[in-house]
Amino acid sequence: MSPSVEPRAQLRSVRTRVDGLSIHTLASADPAPGALPVVLVHGYGVSGRYMVPIARRIAAELPVWVPDLPGHGRSEKPEQTLDVPGLARALRGFLDAVGVPRAAFLANSMGCQTVAELAVRHPETVDRLIFVGPTADPETRTLHQHLPRFLRAVFEERPSLIPLAMADYLRFGPRRIVEELRAMFADRIEEKLPEISAPAMVVHGERDFIVPRRWAAEVARLLRTDRLFAIPGAGHALNYSAPDKLMRLIRPFLSEPCSGPRGAGAPSPGGRGGDGRGSG
């Protein structure tokens, strides 16, 4: 095996009931007993399928759970489209249903908003968090502002992501696409980030037109972390398009001992507001 390729493990499909809905999940086929679980949270309108490349790499070392949140992917749809607090409640219900009291979380895009809400409302469930391309940049909270950046971002991803995402959007449905977009824009993640006490890491692609360096750096500053990394030449969905580079960045953070949440207002080790660059 080439040293540039990370080891991978198989995932299995699992069904769980959460608040009366059947939730589809991909999980480690052979999880390591006693290890810290890692829960991967997808973004806007899509499912956990585009998390598979990074999930398989993490699963080679740690237990992994990749739920399709209600309404997404192969999970059942609630009557009403869930807003960010509703998605966070569903995620908490999922943790209870599968018996995971505390975990590390890796989220992409709008999934970062869901996990931020969870971390504020239920800090006891979040051991550490990794934000990959967190939305929503306050400068792009209208369709007019967001759409041009989204369209530019599409061309920075692996081409195989496009049909995968389009299939998820079609399954999600046009009404829910509009309603969840409104929920993404309405959520004020910047007001929640300073309240999060768990150790955190922020990663973005240097060619992510949805999450520019300026906003990624602001997210890290508000989280009081110096763990800010940019992957050269990469776009928005690093979990799909740059999984080997992402895995090499996050492995040291996931390997740190579980020490419980930091106290409110306490800086992470190494200071605050710094920046690092991942070369992959």
Side-chain angles (χ1 to χ4, degrees):
M1 182 176 63
S2 167
S4 65
V5 178
E6 291 287 333
R8 310 171 198 184
Q10 294 300 312
L11 303 173
R12 59 193 172 95
S13 182
V14 179
R15 284 279 174 184
T16 309
R17 295 205 71 81
V18 177
D19 294 332
L21 298 174
S22 175
I23 300 301
H24 174 260
T25 308
L26 295 171
S28 306
D30 188 21
L36 177 71
V38 183
V39 178
L40 281 65
V41 183
H42 61 74
Y44 160 73
V46 293
S47 72
R49 290 195 302 164
Y50 85 125
M51 287 288 190
V52 166
I54 190 62
R56 291 185 62 198
R57 287 156 174 82
I58 298 172
E61 303 174 18
L62 294 167
V64 163
W65 296 92
V66 192
D68 293 345
L69 295 175
H72 299 76
R74 288 189 275 171
S75 291
E76 287 186 349
K77 293 178 169 64
E79 283 191 23
Q80 302 298 322
T81 304
L82 300 180
D83 58 8
V84 171
L87 291 168
R89 285 193 296 272
L91 182 56
R92 174 59 194 274
F94 168 78
L95 297 175
D96 289 343
V98 298
V100 175
R102 188 175 180 86
F105 290 82
L106 185 153
N108 173 244
S109 199
M110 187 181 174
C112 299
Q113 297 174 243
T114 300
V115 171
E117 181 79 16
L118 178 75
V120 169
R121 292 181 177 269
H122 301 286
E124 71 283 357
T125 65
V126 180
D127 185 86
R128 66 199 70 183
L129 55 87
I130 301 168
F131 282 168
V132 178
T135 57
D137 181 355
E139 293 189 7
T140 57
R141 283 191 175 142
T142 68
L143 183 61
H144 176 74
Q145 296 167 325
H146 180 77
L147 187 59
R149 291 194 186 186
F150 175 81
L151 294 175
R152 289 185 71 189
V154 167
F155 295 99
E156 302 301 327
E157 305 296 344
R158 285 169 53 192
S160 57
L161 178 59
I162 297 174
L164 187 153
M166 290 303 300
D168 280 344
Y169 290 144
L170 287 172
R171 179 177 284 178
F172 196 49
R175 175 178 66 85
R176 293 178 189 272
I177 284 174
V178 171
E179 291 173 348
E180 187 162 276
L181 187 65
R182 289 173 179 162
M184 182 178 77
F185 291 154
D187 181 65
R188 296 296 184 260
I189 188 175
E190 69 273 16
E191 297 176 3
K192 303 169 192 177
L193 297 176
E195 299 181 40
I196 294 175
S197 60
M201 178 177 183
V202 180
V203 187
H204 70 107
E206 282 193 338
R207 295 191 61 77
D208 184 350
F209 295 106
I210 296 173
V211 179
R213 174 184 170 85
R214 166 195 52 76
W215 171 238
E218 177 64 6
V219 171
R221 186 188 71 80
L222 292 170
L223 285 167
R224 308 179 303 283
T225 182
D226 64 344
R227 297 180 178 97
L228 171 63
F229 297 91
I231 294 183
H236 185 60
L238 302 173
N239 42 282
Y240 186 87
S241 297
D244 284 331
K245 294 178 180 179
L246 180 59
M247 186 65 204
R248 286 192 285 275
L249 279 178
I250 67 176
R251 178 180 285 114
F253 184 51
L254 289 174
S255 299
E256 292 177 5
C258 302
S259 57
R262 293 181 281 121
S268 64
R272 60 185 288 181
D275 189 12
R277 290 171 60 87
S279 64

